[in-house]
Amino acid sequence: AALVDAKTERIFFTGSIEVGQKVMAHASRSLKKAVLELGGSDPAIVCDDADIDNASSGIVWGAFNNCGQNCNSVERVIVDASVAGRFMEAVVEKTKRLRLGNGMDPETDVGPLASEAQLKKTETSVRAAQNRGGRLLCGGRRPAGMKGYFYEPTVIEWSRSNPAPADEELFAPVLYITPSVGDGDAVRLANQVGVERNAHYRAPLFGEPIILADQRIGIFPRAHVVDEEAVVIIDLEAVGHRDQTA
């Protein structure tokens, strides 16, 4: 509070949603500009006409790059049920090929977690997910014979009938995949948790990607294209966006 109330022009905060709300409340008293980077469980949506090879490759990279310790890591995937089997098979096959090792080694795909505490938190989270009905597709353990805070890249199938697996970002190499029934159901599942930092929408390029996103997922604000493969990153920081298409 003292820092926010000091004679500074702008506050940039990275941390939890709860503390971020307090920072914003204090900053608003003097109309001070505040940028908040808060935790969330970032979703990706894979539609029925998506390029499965492209989507699975991008999501494996987005989920496990830097051992999942990125603020915009993909943590949940909602995939149309008609292609879910092929998509999960592709994701698991590519995930199993990832090479664990020293993060400074250029041959390494996935390095260690940052601390023992984070490793134990990951183990606890994965066990809790399995106890709640999550089906382990690969990973879910420390790799045998490796010293350090390593955890195998983990993929878990999650039923659409279960509540969202996590409301806070785990910061770990763990990916949940949930089959959905149509675009409206996918948006509903993506919006199950309170706040997400980013959403990742994957589909083939039919004309302009923004128009495509507006037509199929029209409730997400401020969509912008990030590459030529029709991958659209959609800002979901505004709280309260819910499915208007179902």
Side-chain angles (χ1 to χ4, degrees):
L3 178 60
V4 177
D5 292 336
K7 293 182 179 180
T8 54
E9 294 183 359
R10 184 188 295 264
I11 298 294
F12 191 104
F13 171 76
T14 301
S16 69
I17 295 170
E18 291 77 14
V19 176
Q21 290 171 330
K22 296 176 181 178
V23 170
M24 179 62 78
H26 280 278
S28 67
R29 296 174 184 173
S30 58
L31 299 180
K32 187 170 297 181
K33 294 179 180 179
V35 178
L36 308 179
E37 184 181 344
L38 309 179
S41 183
D42 297 350
I45 295 176
V46 178
C47 298
D48 57 355
D49 51 0
D51 181 320
I52 297 301
D53 183 59
N54 174 55
S56 59
S57 292
I59 285 172
V60 166
W61 183 89
F64 302 125
N65 178 45
N66 200 35
C67 199
Q69 299 168 115
N70 292 319
C71 292
N72 59 352
S73 289
V74 178
E75 299 179 43
R76 298 180 294 131
V77 180
I78 297 93
V79 55
D80 193 277
S82 64
V83 297
R86 289 194 294 127
F87 175 77
M88 287 190 285
E89 182 178 344
V91 167
V92 169
E93 189 271 329
K94 293 173 182 179
T95 299
K96 287 181 176 180
R97 293 208 309 258
L98 296 176
R99 298 163 297 186
L100 277 69
N102 187 328
M104 302 301 291
D105 186 341
E107 297 299 315
T108 292
D109 296 313
V110 179
L113 288 162
S115 67
E116 183 179 7
Q118 187 63 22
L119 176 58
K120 290 180 178 179
K121 178 182 177 182
T122 302
E123 291 177 317
T124 299
S125 178
V126 170
R127 283 196 300 268
Q130 291 179 276
N131 290 338
R132 292 176 57 195
R135 185 168 74 94
L136 186 67
L137 301 182
C138 66
R141 62 184 181 181
R142 302 187 191 194
M146 292 189 71
K147 295 182 179 180
Y149 308 135
F150 290 96
Y151 195 80
E152 292 185 0
T154 299
V155 180
I156 298 173
E157 182 180 2
W158 192 259
S159 171
R160 61 189 291 275
S161 61
N162 277 351
D167 200 11
E168 289 285 339
E169 60 185 340
L170 183 58
F171 249 55
V174 178
L175 178 67
Y176 293 92
I177 301 178
T178 300
S180 64
V181 183
D183 294 343
D185 187 44
V187 173
R188 179 186 66 81
L189 293 169
N191 285 337
Q192 268 190 332
V193 299
V195 178
E196 297 85 15
R197 179 175 291 104
N198 298 291
H200 309 261
Y201 171 73
R202 289 188 168 270
L205 177 57
F206 300 127
E208 293 295 325
I210 291 178
I211 295 175
L212 177 65
D214 286 344
Q215 287 175 344
R216 299 194 56 167
I217 312 290
I219 65 166
F220 293 153
R222 299 188 298 282
H224 61 279
V225 183
V226 295
D227 67 23
E228 296 178 355
E229 296 295 334
V231 181
V232 179
I233 304 301
I234 305 157
D235 183 0
L236 279 180
E237 287 192 59
V239 179
H241 287 269
R242 290 294 179 265
D243 186 9
Q244 299 172 0
T245 64

